Amino acid sequence: IRDALRTLDVGLAYDNFGAGQSRLRDLVEVPPDYLKFDMSLIRGIDRAPLAQKKLLEGLVRVLSDLDIACLAEGVERDGELDFCRNVGFRYVQGFLLGRPAPVETWMGK
């Protein structure tokens, strides 16, 4: 399936990494183009213990080396955004950057 998606120029994303039972083996067997880190790993990361920060930074570094684009979900504060930027997240999403909006808001754009 992964190869078929590539031939169609369709990217593969895994959502909620770090919530529940994230399967590291899947990252090797069927590597995604994008890995979305669950907000439970991101919330308050700038205030988290050093070991937690280093773990997240290491994961982002390894995944980036594997050419997997990392996305941080749930970014709500400037400190979280700064941390994500500094450790190499390629993408971020969250209320700090924009609130959810009705689909009609985006019609015609």
Side-chain angles (χ1 to χ4, degrees):
I1 293 174
R2 178 71 177 101
D3 293 336
L5 290 173
R6 276 220 168 107
T7 62
L8 296 171
D9 199 28
V10 173
L12 177 64
Y14 291 170
D15 197 14
N16 297 326
F17 181 76
Q21 293 184 332
S22 297
R23 296 181 48 195
L24 295 175
R25 195 164 117 193
D26 291 345
L27 297 175
V28 174
E29 291 179 356
V30 185
D33 298 294
Y34 304 92
L35 186 69
K36 297 176 71 174
F37 282 72
D38 188 74
M39 68 177 65
S40 65
L41 294 175
I42 304 302
R43 293 270 169 86
I45 190 63
D46 56 317
R47 300 175 183 169
L50 183 59
Q52 185 177 344
K53 290 178 182 179
K54 286 191 171 289
L55 176 64
L56 193 55
E57 181 178 6
L59 286 169
V60 171
R61 184 176 51 252
V62 167
L63 293 165
S64 295
D65 287 348
L66 295 172
D67 202 27
I68 298 171
C70 296
L71 182 148
E73 296 179 325
V75 176
E76 295 187 355
R77 297 183 11 267
D78 289 326
E80 295 163 345
L81 177 61
D82 291 340
F83 176 87
C84 291
R85 182 182 296 127
N86 291 334
V87 300
F89 275 94
R90 199 177 308 173
Y91 302 100
V92 295
Q93 70 182 51
F95 287 141
L96 179 66
L97 306 165
R99 302 274 181 211
V103 71
E104 294 81 18
T105 305
W106 302 101
M107 299 300 283
K109 291 191 179 191

